Amino acid sequence: MKKSIFNFTKEELIAETKELGMEKFRAKQIWNWVYNKGINDFSKMSNIKKELQQKLSDDFTLQRPEIDKKLIASDGVIKWLIKFADGNLVEAVYIPEETRGTLCISSQVGCTLACKFCHTGTQTLVRNLEAGEIIAQIMIAKDGLNDFNKKTNERALLTNIVFMGMGEPFFNYDNVKKAVQIMTDNEGLDFSNKRVTISTSGLVPEMIKSATELKTVLALSLHATNDKLRNEIMAINKKYPIDEVMKACKVHNQENKGSKVTFEYVMLDGVNDKDEHAYEMIELIKKYNLNVKINLIPFNP
């Protein structure tokens, strides 16, 4: 079976192509064609000899997953339903704004968490996505937006990546880490670590690891300001209660100076949206001396 180019970091691609008898600079040329120019056919890599193109084509694939459905909203939001080779589906959503364009990507097919307010949580976990399947979502979006091969004075339409689609990213830590390495490589897709946000329900060990290993922005799906309520709507809180989660947020602040942790908070009518909850939120921030941004989200029926 052919190997997807998207599954390899640049260093891994250098090692892979070396086995095919290619020099290091060839791998960098391939990397440039793939991630700067968006080329999806080895035969179009004009500075690579025909026989090397054939070797690459025999061993690797640049094929994107199938687009099962594409929806475009009146405000310019684009949603892709993406089908992988095994028939499994995930969503990726592009959200355009005046000064940036954000792609919300998935890290798993389904989810294990079963948070009470989340539709994905009604599905069982099927599997983790490979790093290349995470990167492929970005490639599909950039293809659709015609966002490759920009001139120096042209602004990219896709500027930010958020892991806020299907799945808990930190349950798939290794593949997410590898995908972040690929998307932040400055000779390729070149996303700044500060323009990549990973949302978690509160997996404390991975929150702490990511603070030093990934250096991305952290978003915490908080949704409740005390353990009793959070236990009811987010079962993960029974394993990692608020005290531990807040301490992990503090580590993130300390390791990434100036970077705010975002608290994601879905407003559930009469459940977690009372004045007392607002005051509890303030007390949490004061108690742990946190640098945070609070994102209050109206519940989507």
Side-chain angles (χ1 to χ4, degrees):
M1 180 183 280
K2 291 184 181 183
K3 296 172 279 193
S4 172
I5 283 279
F6 308 135
N7 263 326
F8 299 102
T9 64
K10 187 171 64 193
E11 293 307 313
E12 288 173 340
L13 185 62
I14 289 168
E16 288 280 327
T17 51
K18 185 179 180 181
E19 288 187 15
L20 297 177
M22 298 186 200
E23 305 94 325
K24 183 176 180 178
F25 77 91
R26 290 293 183 201
K28 292 190 174 184
Q29 287 177 328
I30 297 161
W31 191 264
N32 182 266
W33 281 110
V34 172
Y35 291 118
N36 285 323
K37 296 183 171 65
I39 293 299
N40 60 6
D41 185 340
F42 291 111
S43 68
K44 293 178 181 176
M45 297 181 178
S46 56
N47 58 354
I48 293 175
K49 294 175 183 176
K50 293 286 185 190
E51 59 265 31
L52 297 184
Q53 291 176 2
Q54 188 58 53
K55 278 186 179 182
L56 290 167
S57 185
D58 289 343
D59 273 50
F60 301 100
T61 177
L62 293 167
Q63 187 175 354
R64 279 70 160 150
E66 179 185 338
I67 299 172
D68 190 72
K69 192 180 291 185
K70 179 181 177 180
L71 301 172
I72 305 176
S74 57
D75 58 0
V77 170
I78 305 172
K79 181 184 285 188
W80 291 273
L81 186 63
I82 296 168
K83 182 186 282 188
F84 295 113
D86 61 3
N88 281 306
L89 300 161
V90 298
E91 288 184 342
V93 182
Y94 173 69
I95 305 155
E97 298 175 80
E98 276 189 31
T99 58
R100 64 183 178 181
T102 302
L103 185 69
C104 176
I105 58 176
S106 297
S107 55
Q108 295 180 305
V109 181
C111 189
T112 59
L113 290 170
C115 299
K116 292 284 180 68
F117 52 85
C118 178
H119 181 68
T120 308
T122 65
Q123 308 168 39
T124 55
L125 176 68
V126 179
R127 66 175 176 86
N128 286 333
L129 295 187
E130 295 179 359
E133 292 172 322
I134 295 170
I135 294 298
Q137 296 171 65
I138 300 174
M139 303 302 284
I140 283 172
K142 286 182 74 73
D143 286 344
L145 295 167
N146 194 24
D147 201 39
F148 282 110
N149 211 19
K150 292 284 186 180
K151 294 175 184 173
T152 307
N153 61 346
E154 283 185 294
R155 184 173 75 85
L157 295 176
L158 181 52
T159 61
N160 293 63
I161 303 294
V162 295
F163 284 84
M164 294 184 184
M166 296 170 68
E168 163 56 66
F170 285 160
F171 274 146
N172 188 17
Y173 186 88
D174 289 342
N175 283 313
V176 166
K177 177 182 176 180
K178 189 173 184 179
V180 168
Q181 290 173 329
I182 296 168
M183 68 181 72
T184 57
D185 186 289
N186 61 10
E187 292 184 302
L189 290 168
D190 194 26
F191 288 98
S192 161
N193 294 65
K194 299 308 173 194
R195 288 187 174 269
V196 178
T197 300
I198 300 178
S199 176
T200 179
S201 58
L203 273 64
V204 168
E206 288 76 14
M207 289 172 71
I208 293 169
K209 263 204 305 186
S210 72
T212 54
E213 290 185 355
L214 305 186
K215 296 289 186 182
T216 50
V217 179
L218 178 70
L220 171 67
S221 291
L222 183 59
H223 309 308
T225 50
N226 61 71
D227 284 324
K228 182 176 182 298
L229 181 55
R230 199 163 189 263
N231 285 346
E232 289 175 13
I233 62 176
M234 298 182 72
I236 193 71
N237 196 72
K238 294 171 186 174
K239 184 170 185 180
Y240 301 115
I242 287 177
D243 175 65
E244 291 183 35
V245 173
M246 292 299 110
K247 287 174 181 173
C249 289
K250 184 63 181 174
V251 171
H252 230 275
N253 280 162
Q254 291 168 337
E255 294 291 339
N256 298 276
K257 300 296 183 188
S259 179
K260 295 184 178 183
V261 174
T262 299
F263 284 176
E264 305 284 355
Y265 199 94
V266 171
M267 305 283 283
L268 303 170
D269 188 24
V271 177
N272 66 352
D273 63 345
K274 300 171 185 175
D275 286 359
E276 66 197 68
H277 301 124
Y279 286 115
E280 282 180 348
M281 175 88 78
I282 293 166
E283 289 307 310
L284 277 178
I285 294 165
K286 283 181 178 177
K287 179 180 177 181
Y288 297 92
N289 191 26
L290 297 174
N291 185 17
V292 301
K293 179 170 68 178
I294 300 164
N295 185 17
L296 299 177
I297 307 165
F299 181 59
N300 185 340

